[in-house]
Amino acid sequence: MDNAVIEFKNYSFKYHSQADYTLHDINLKIFKGEKILIVGPSGSGKSTLGNCINGLIPNSYKGEILGSLNIAGIDGSNASIFEISKEVGTVLQDSDGQFVGLSVAEDIAFALENDNVLQDEMKARVKQISKLVDMENFLKSNPYELSGGQKQRVSLAGVMVEDTKVLLFDEPLANLDPKTGKIAIELIDNIHNEDNIVIIIEHRLEDVLYKDVDRIILVDNGRIIIDDTPKIVLSSNILTKYGIREPLYISACRYADIEIKPEMNPENIDKFILGNEEKKLNDWFNKHNVRLKPNTNEAVLEINNLSFSYDGERKILDNINIDIKKGEMVSLVGKNGAGKSTLAKLIVRFEKLDQGDIKIKGESLLGLTIKETAKHVGIVLQNPNQMISKNLIYDEIAYGLRIRDYSEEDIKIKVDDVMKICGLSPFKNWPISALSYGQKKRVTIASILVLNPEILILDEPTAGQDYKHYSEIMEFLKTLNNNGQTIILITHDMHLMLEYTYRAIVLSDGKKLADKPSYEILSDNEIIEKANLKRTSLYDLAVKAHIKEPLHFIESFINYERRKFDEN
Amino acid sequence: MKIKLFSYNQLDTFIHKLSGFTKLMCFLLLTTTVMLTYDLRVILFVLIISMYMLKIAKISFSQIKSMLIYVFIFLITNFILTFIFAPLQGVEIYGTKHVIFEIFGPFVVTQEQMLYQITKLFKYLSVIPLGIIFFLTTNPSEFASSLNKIGLNYKVCTVLSLTLRYFPDVQRDFNSISLSQQARGLDMSSKEKMTKRLKNIIAVLTPLIFSTLDRIELISNAMDLRGFAKSKTRTWYSYKPLNKKDFITLSVCLIIFIGSLLISQFINKSIYWNPFI
């Protein structure tokens, strides 16, 4: 074990564009056959660490390097990206954006093409690799038309084709629905063997730990905080301190004052041993057993018998009936392509429905233009960069009002008001480019809120955000909701659904599959299976502790956590 | 925009099976043929061939309908303008004047002018199907590989095929941005004044440019990581080597090209076919 394949020695890195070092004094050895998980909040330097390993630093991102980095005998601080790419294969975060080829086969072959491999050999290799990832029947398909999980397989194959010693995954779970994410983790686990190294950079800890990893490395502020086995890392209290979300079953145990020890196998719920601590969990449950209350206000949005198809043949949505109550915050979930985004587009009139009706406060939206609908329903797109068109925050928020010919005095009152609600007042005259992602998101929400719509729809509001930013955005939405704003969230995030929305609506293949409390949905195996969701580990924990009402246990956990959050 | 450039769909026709290089060369040969001659007979011959090819390639009328409408509008305008600006061009070319009827002043409809203008109309008409066939039946990457084979730098070729590959993505982005801006009240319809509309378009373009820049950074990193541009050459997965079909097709087009040159040189003794003498 003495020969590390990757070795950082007193390594520091500073981007040319930045004043301070992003990585400080990194000492890290990674050995053959290891599977490593690197965690850390956004901006902690974990992606920078990844970029050092795959050669983007110092080739594409220039900067100052102190200390040394050795990758399979290559000097990582001076090698060209091509030398390093022979040793390290990288699967980037956004699989959509990284496809180079127009067909699956061509994309898998890209690295070989650049290596001047002859066509016959290339075809044979592509065939062989595509079999490994179970994509041999899709070689001629356009990668863009595949499902999220298939896309992941293609990008993986494109990297595996080079047969590199090290495989680096940069946030492989972002944008995947829970079940597909689970399959992705299985796939990564399958290609890991004694001769290669797998490095996963991800902040969704519980999902990655579904399959064993050898070590967890926690990075914060450019330094390695802890580098140890999952058992040790999870037993310590350190993750929460650095803004990493612990697995839910561990949080629940901590609330019940159970001390997590390495011998309890805390890294995986299936292996987790409660032993005598079971009683503490039961006691906690008996003490905190609370029912959540559904919203019983009158409906503000009614969708009746709605059907829609793009081509007149295949129905994207089929006879959907939904009531949204005033002041509710609801999740709209389902696997990719289930029709969630289409439903949102129909509500805001970006698309015209074929059949049925959509009513706001009893009045039909049909016949209204997009602009007129915007008075009633506002939509916030996933990527804030797709919405922002002004340089200053004030102008961006005022934009919708100026178009509607409000007087500048009225605009000032309204914009100031919204800025206060959204916590943007201190940045009033800032350029938008100086804001963080979460702040930009707030600006886009503010720019819609200023039009005072009855209903706010957000498409994946927290996609790709770490726990801190996730909480920031969600707490903000919660505040809006507490002030009476009705909110619909389109999401893949089971935590979000469980913690923030009492009720969830599940779409599957264009039909409404379920419409009930989130914790019930995430405990219902049939729905979970059909809609590509994942059962919450809280349920398994409750079963493990022989709690008779696992659903009520989850409910009580949410309530307890909510109260704890509000106290802070 | 309903028709997508290079909305290549894999069909199993003779034309689809030809290499992109063959299609490019045949396209160039036949277009040059048509460009270099004003012999209506030759042009009609090429027109018939290109119509026939459209049929072989199974390109349906509905696929190209909206494109054809624009083409016809252009052709008709062109036809009328040519007559208005140079009503006696034909007379000048052919050297004779057979008047059909007079309108007023210099505007006289002559057989010569009609032949000249109809020839010109058919010139356009025969080239357009060729272009459509080329765009709709060629796989961009395979086409890029052909360009590389005939000597164009492979980086340029790759960038070209990538641009085509990203075209639909950017179009999709444009749509969602434009819709979300409309939801904020932007009027993109023709109801708005021209100056205001231009301003509104900028409001859509700004976010589009930024999100496209994000895309570019990502793809260029992805390409670097997979060794793009590491050596002076690259191979192509989708390259189709030329086979018998290609050589036959190339030869036929070459014969048509040379044949037309010979007709101009020896039979017509000019690029114009003159039935008036």
Side-chain angles (χ1 to χ4, degrees):
Chain A
M1 283 290 277
D2 211 40
N3 282 332
V5 178
I6 297 174
E7 184 171 8
F8 287 87
K9 260 192 206 157
N10 307 323
Y11 187 94
S12 301
F13 178 77
K14 181 173 94 68
Y15 288 100
H16 274 327
S17 56
Q18 272 164 17
D20 295 321
Y21 278 82
T22 303
L23 293 178
H24 304 273
D25 203 24
I26 300 286
N27 283 295
L28 174 64
K29 284 184 185 181
I30 300 174
F31 300 94
K32 197 165 119 181
E34 277 195 302
K35 186 176 170 197
I36 307 279
L37 169 61
I38 301 179
V39 295
S42 303
S44 62
K46 65 177 191 302
S47 300
T48 305
L49 196 62
N51 288 341
C52 292
I53 296 173
N54 64 28
L56 282 176
I57 290 174
N59 288 289
S60 297
Y61 302 111
K62 311 266 182 234
E64 270 167 50
I65 295 171
L66 301 176
S68 74
L69 165 61
N70 188 308
I71 299 165
I74 303 171
D75 173 10
S77 316
N78 291 310
S80 76
I81 194 161
F82 309 128
E83 284 173 74
I84 295 176
S85 72
K86 280 258 152 251
E87 308 295 336
V88 184
T90 313
V91 178
L92 294 172
Q93 192 186 116
D94 174 0
S95 45
D96 268 358
Q98 60 182 298
F99 291 126
V100 185
L102 275 161
S103 68
V104 168
E106 213 184 303
D107 194 74
I108 298 176
F110 188 66
L112 301 175
E113 293 179 325
N114 293 319
D115 245 346
N116 284 305
V117 175
L118 294 176
Q119 204 181 26
D120 290 341
E121 196 190 328
M122 199 145 62
K123 293 210 159 151
R125 285 273 285 285
V126 166
K127 205 163 184 186
Q128 178 207 343
I129 297 290
S130 63
K131 249 181 215 153
L132 282 181
V133 295
D134 219 7
M135 288 297 292
E136 75 265 32
N137 295 326
F138 295 90
L139 287 181
K140 285 191 169 171
S141 312
N142 180 344
Y144 204 92
E145 283 155 11
L146 301 173
S147 73
Q150 289 170 328
K151 283 177 186 166
Q152 194 91 27
R153 281 162 197 271
V154 176
S155 22
L156 184 57
V159 169
M160 281 165 70
V161 78
E162 283 192 284
D163 204 21
T164 51
K165 290 193 190 88
V166 183
L167 288 168
L168 178 72
F169 296 86
D170 192 358
E171 308 217 6
L173 298 177
N175 304 324
L176 293 186
D177 63 46
K179 186 178 162 200
T180 311
K182 208 168 144 179
I183 295 169
I185 291 296
E186 271 169 32
L187 194 67
I188 294 173
D189 196 58
N190 286 340
I191 58 165
H192 173 235
N193 59 41
E194 287 166 6
D195 292 320
N196 63 11
I197 290 175
V198 167
I199 302 172
I200 304 170
I201 301 173
E202 181 60 71
H203 53 79
R204 283 161 70 175
L205 185 67
E206 182 174 349
D207 294 325
V208 178
L209 289 179
Y210 164 64
K211 289 285 173 185
D212 288 342
V213 303
D214 295 311
R215 274 195 285 159
I216 296 179
I217 295 166
L218 169 64
V219 182
D220 188 58
N221 264 324
R223 291 174 201 277
I224 291 179
I225 305 296
I226 192 169
D227 169 3
D228 219 317
T229 60
K231 284 186 204 301
I232 307 275
V233 174
L234 288 169
S235 307
S236 74
N237 214 343
I238 202 159
L239 291 168
T240 346
K241 228 187 271 171
Y242 288 96
I244 303 295
R245 153 154 275 189
E246 282 180 325
L248 286 182
Y249 55 92
I250 301 232
S251 305
C253 288
R254 292 206 201 276
Y255 294 154
D257 272 332
I258 295 171
E259 194 194 332
I260 308 288
K261 296 190 190 101
E263 55 271 24
M264 294 163 80
N265 299 334
E267 71 275 16
N268 188 309
I269 179 70
D270 294 332
K271 295 181 195 155
F272 189 52
I273 304 163
L274 261 177
N276 294 331
E277 308 282 23
E278 190 183 313
K279 196 180 161 295
K280 281 190 192 163
L281 207 62
N282 275 285
D283 290 347
W284 177 87
F285 176 50
N286 291 333
K287 198 170 146 205
H288 296 278
N289 194 349
V290 185
R291 295 288 73 77
L292 297 173
K293 278 190 215 78
N295 181 316
T296 49
N297 289 346
E298 80 273 24
V300 57
L301 172 74
E302 292 164 79
I303 298 173
N304 299 323
N305 309 320
L306 177 144
S307 294
F308 175 76
S309 83
Y310 282 106
D311 53 9
E313 281 168 36
R314 201 173 70 86
K315 280 194 173 171
I316 306 290
L317 290 167
D318 187 9
N319 198 22
I320 303 283
N321 288 289
I322 295 173
D323 279 357
I324 304 287
K325 309 265 188 293
K326 194 171 168 10
E328 232 183 345
M329 181 136 95
V330 184
S331 286
L332 188 57
V333 298
K335 61 181 157 194
N336 293 332
K340 305 174 303 244
S341 302
T342 310
L343 182 60
K345 280 184 192 161
L346 286 166
I347 298 174
V348 291
R349 309 282 298 150
F350 288 1
E351 300 283 351
K352 308 273 174 278
L353 48 81
D354 296 339
Q355 226 180 71
D357 199 359
I358 302 174
K359 285 183 195 159
I360 298 254
K361 288 183 177 167
E363 287 194 33
S364 175
L365 286 182
L366 308 188
L368 297 190
T369 63
I370 295 178
K371 186 175 172 179
E372 287 160 349
T373 310
K375 260 184 276 175
H376 305 288
V377 201
I379 188 163
V380 179
L381 301 181
Q382 184 179 337
N383 179 355
N385 289 340
Q386 287 200 342
M387 298 185 72
I388 294 170
S389 58
K390 297 278 177 246
N391 295 325
L392 296 176
I393 297 175
Y394 184 90
D395 291 343
E396 179 66 29
I397 300 173
Y399 188 49
L401 297 174
R402 286 194 176 137
I403 289 176
R404 286 174 170 75
D405 294 328
Y406 281 80
S407 72
E408 278 301 318
E409 295 96 72
D410 286 351
I411 291 177
K412 193 171 180 312
I413 296 167
K414 281 178 191 270
V415 173
D416 281 347
D417 224 29
V418 166
M419 280 187 145
K420 211 176 277 163
I421 297 171
C422 297
L424 289 167
S425 304
F427 311 110
K428 191 168 171 179
N429 294 314
W430 281 36
I432 290 182
S433 52
L435 299 181
S436 73
Y437 183 93
Q439 289 167 330
K440 275 188 192 169
K441 189 99 208 171
R442 282 186 192 208
V443 172
T444 57
I445 295 171
S447 67
I448 297 298
L449 270 183
V450 81
L451 300 175
N452 199 19
E454 277 102 359
I455 298 169
L456 192 60
I457 301 179
L458 293 110
D459 193 359
E460 292 287 0
T462 59
Q465 298 305 296
D466 67 3
Y467 186 47
K468 185 172 155 245
H469 292 101
Y470 158 91
S471 309
E472 223 177 81
I473 295 170
M474 287 316 298
E475 284 305 311
F476 165 60
L477 290 174
K478 186 85 205 157
T479 326
L480 288 182
N481 178 242
N482 289 344
N483 291 336
Q485 179 71 47
T486 313
I487 298 176
I488 301 175
L489 301 163
I490 301 174
T491 184
H492 276 322
D493 190 326
M494 301 296 97
H495 289 159
L496 185 159
M497 169 179 165
L498 201 57
E499 288 170 323
Y500 288 95
T501 63
Y502 174 77
R503 176 182 162 211
I505 295 160
V506 186
L507 293 183
S508 171
D509 298 325
K511 292 197 171 67
K512 191 168 90 171
L513 184 66
D515 182 350
K516 54 183 180 180
S518 300
Y519 56 86
E520 283 185 30
I521 286 173
L522 291 181
S523 311
D524 185 328
N525 285 332
E526 202 189 319
I527 298 174
I528 286 170
E529 191 52 42
K530 274 198 188 148
N532 270 13
L533 303 172
K534 208 178 112 196
R535 193 172 63 215
T536 165
S537 60
L538 290 172
Y539 184 88
D540 299 274
L541 180 70
V543 172
K544 226 166 216 174
H546 302 100
I547 291 172
K548 285 199 190 61
E549 300 148 314
L551 286 185
H552 288 168
F553 175 76
I554 305 172
E555 207 179 345
S556 310
F557 174 87
I558 300 164
N559 184 56
Y560 184 82
E561 211 165 48
R562 184 75 257 152
R563 279 205 344 254
K564 254 189 75 174
F565 227 115
D566 291 342
E567 279 164 21
N568 292 332
Chain B
M1 198 162 97
K2 278 276 152 56
I3 5 156
K4 277 189 242 151
L5 274 183
F6 276 102
S7 62
Y8 166 73
N9 43 353
Q10 285 165 334
L11 287 176
D12 206 17
T13 75
F14 177 77
I15 308 266
H16 284 82
K17 277 188 196 149
L18 289 176
S19 129
F21 172 74
T22 311
K23 274 180 271 195
L24 178 67
M25 288 320 286
C26 291
F27 173 69
L28 291 177
L29 277 172
L30 292 180
T31 339
T32 327
T33 308
V34 171
M35 253 159 37
L36 290 181
T37 185
Y38 271 84
D39 189 327
L40 189 58
R41 297 163 303 179
V42 176
I43 293 169
L44 280 178
F45 181 66
V46 174
L47 177 68
I48 289 166
I49 291 185
S50 53
M51 286 300 188
Y52 184 60
M53 301 249 232
L54 263 188
K55 211 183 143 204
I56 301 184
K58 292 194 177 143
I59 294 171
S60 64
F61 178 68
S62 60
Q63 239 176 311
I64 53 177
K65 198 170 98 189
S66 43
M67 198 196 291
L68 287 183
I69 291 172
Y70 286 111
V71 168
F72 278 116
I73 293 173
F74 167 75
L75 287 181
I76 291 164
T77 332
N78 185 281
F79 193 88
I80 295 168
L81 288 179
T82 311
F83 184 75
I84 291 174
F85 286 108
L88 292 173
Q89 183 82 31
V91 176
E92 222 168 273
I93 291 167
Y94 298 109
T96 51
K97 189 172 180 181
H98 297 83
V99 179
I100 303 172
F101 60 87
E102 284 179 29
I103 303 173
F104 69 88
F107 294 102
V108 182
V109 179
T110 58
Q111 286 177 16
E112 286 80 0
Q113 182 69 9
M114 281 302 107
L115 177 69
Y116 166 70
Q117 284 200 228
I118 287 170
T119 310
K120 215 170 136 191
L121 185 77
F122 277 105
K123 274 168 86 120
Y124 289 119
L125 268 184
S126 59
V127 172
I128 287 155
L130 293 173
I132 292 177
I133 293 170
F134 178 69
F135 280 114
L136 291 185
T137 65
T138 307
N139 176 334
S141 344
E142 196 250 322
F143 172 57
S145 72
S146 323
L147 286 180
N148 182 214
K149 281 283 147 140
I150 57 170
L152 196 62
N153 182 305
Y154 80 88
K155 288 180 201 161
V156 177
C157 298
T158 310
V159 168
L160 183 73
S161 84
L162 264 183
T163 314
L164 297 167
R165 132 103 179 70
Y166 273 95
F167 202 74
D169 286 16
V170 174
Q171 206 174 321
R172 207 180 349 252
D173 272 2
F174 176 82
N175 265 336
S176 55
I177 292 168
S178 148
L179 283 168
S180 90
Q181 297 290 34
Q182 283 179 53
R184 288 168 70 186
L186 206 64
D187 196 345
M188 302 270 292
S189 69
S190 44
K191 275 189 248 164
E192 279 289 353
K193 268 187 254 140
M194 202 53 206
T195 46
K196 207 163 178 196
R197 246 168 93 196
L198 269 174
K199 244 189 191 167
N200 291 351
I201 288 171
I202 291 171
V204 175
L205 286 184
T206 318
L208 183 68
I209 289 167
F210 280 109
S211 55
T212 307
L213 285 178
D214 289 349
R215 261 181 210 289
I216 292 172
E217 188 186 346
L218 179 69
I219 191 75
S220 67
N221 279 345
M223 288 169 69
D224 280 351
L225 286 171
R226 288 163 75 188
F228 180 65
K230 76 164 120 179
S231 57
K232 290 212 167 69
T233 54
R234 63 168 277 191
T235 46
W236 300 81
Y237 182 87
S238 51
Y239 177 67
K240 278 189 210 160
L242 301 184
N243 61 23
K244 221 168 96 194
K245 281 193 200 100
D246 293 293
F247 288 117
I248 294 172
T249 316
L250 277 171
S251 316
V252 170
C253 292
L254 198 63
I255 290 168
I256 295 174
F257 177 67
I258 294 171
S260 157
L261 285 184
L262 292 177
I263 290 173
S264 300
Q265 187 69 32
F266 296 108
I267 300 175
N268 293 338
K269 304 224 162 34
S270 105
I271 55 168
Y272 299 100
W273 166 56
N274 193 340
F276 299 106
I277 14 170

